[in-house]
Amino acid sequence: MKKLKLTSIFLITVLFFACEPATDIDSDVSDKSDRSIIQYHGLKDHSMYKSDLEKHTGLATLRSATARYHDVKAAMEDGFVPVLPCQENPDGEGGLGIPFLNQDRLDAIIDLAEPEVLFYEPQKNGRLRLIGAEPVVPIALWTEDEPPSLFGQEFHRNDKAGLYGFHMWIWKHNPDGVLAFWHADVSCEFAE
């Protein structure tokens, strides 16, 4: 038993001293939790980690903010109204579904806790399924030289609607990605 303990202590000591530190910590990293994660992953440039963390945090915020809108009546009670019929991709498969807009939220602030647009896909049973959401900014209110962006990606510009937008497919898996413009598996087959 004593030999087993000594062997374990020896192995732990060898591993501890044999391993080099994973990375040098940049002086601009002030949060202790960031430091431990950066060390653990051995990242020299933690901008990719921060970008991924921001994306996951942003998507979680958006899911939390829109969870109650699985019930389209709750969305309508909060001021969301359908602004277009069901939208399909004219150049291929997929679509957007039916966009519902909350006009009271239109401003130059990007707040994932209060998205301006919700996307619903018509279902065979006549119900609407919440599939995504979108922060939008009126082009006329955006004063920056560059278009708005999130997670390192620019919003798309819709001159016809006068809006910048950023589709986020948070409630139905999109094989093209959660931030793709069109949702590859959305259909308007059951739209009225």
Side-chain angles (χ1 to χ4, degrees):
M1 182 73 155
K2 192 173 187 177
K3 186 174 182 177
L4 182 61
K5 281 185 179 180
L6 287 175
T7 304
S8 297
I9 292 171
F10 174 74
L11 286 174
I12 291 170
T13 305
V14 168
L15 287 173
F16 180 78
F17 287 107
C19 295
E20 293 181 33
T23 186
D24 297 328
I25 301 300
D26 294 339
S27 59
D28 65 336
V29 178
S30 59
D31 182 44
K32 194 172 188 175
S33 62
D34 276 354
R35 274 198 294 270
S36 64
I37 293 170
I38 291 167
Q39 287 176 336
Y40 177 77
H41 292 292
L43 300 174
K44 297 263 184 219
D45 176 12
H46 60 276
S47 61
M48 185 186 324
Y49 162 75
K50 286 192 176 216
S51 176
D52 284 347
L53 179 62
E54 288 171 0
K55 179 180 173 184
H56 292 296
T57 301
L59 293 174
T61 298
L62 190 60
R63 280 188 193 98
S64 178
T66 59
R68 60 177 270 139
Y69 300 135
H70 285 286
D71 179 355
V72 71
K73 289 178 186 174
M76 294 177 83
E77 287 170 2
D78 281 358
F80 287 93
V81 295
V83 290
L84 292 170
C86 192
Q87 302 292 297
E88 289 186 317
N89 183 353
D91 299 321
E93 297 293 315
L96 302 176
I98 302 171
F100 278 62
L101 172 70
N102 185 326
Q103 196 155 3
D104 293 338
R105 293 183 177 181
L106 287 177
D107 56 28
I109 299 168
I110 300 165
D111 183 356
L112 294 178
E114 291 193 357
E116 290 81 4
V117 175
L118 302 172
F119 296 105
Y120 288 92
E121 181 181 28
Q123 302 296 293
K124 187 175 186 177
N125 63 7
R127 294 187 178 161
L128 295 177
R129 176 184 177 188
L130 178 64
I131 57 173
E134 176 181 31
V136 299
V137 176
I139 293 170
L141 298 180
W142 190 251
T143 59
E144 303 295 321
D145 293 334
E146 299 295 320
S149 65
L150 275 176
F151 321 130
Q153 294 185 25
E154 287 185 1
F155 280 40
H156 60 272
R157 183 181 174 119
N158 182 332
D159 288 314
K160 186 176 178 182
L163 300 169
Y164 287 111
F166 197 75
H167 301 167
M168 303 169 84
W169 307 109
I170 54 171
W171 293 112
K172 181 177 181 180
H173 172 72
N174 185 353
D176 292 339
V178 71
L179 303 178
F181 184 85
W182 295 103
H183 193 302
D185 289 337
V186 167
S187 168
C188 293
E189 177 184 0
F190 303 112
E192 294 178 2

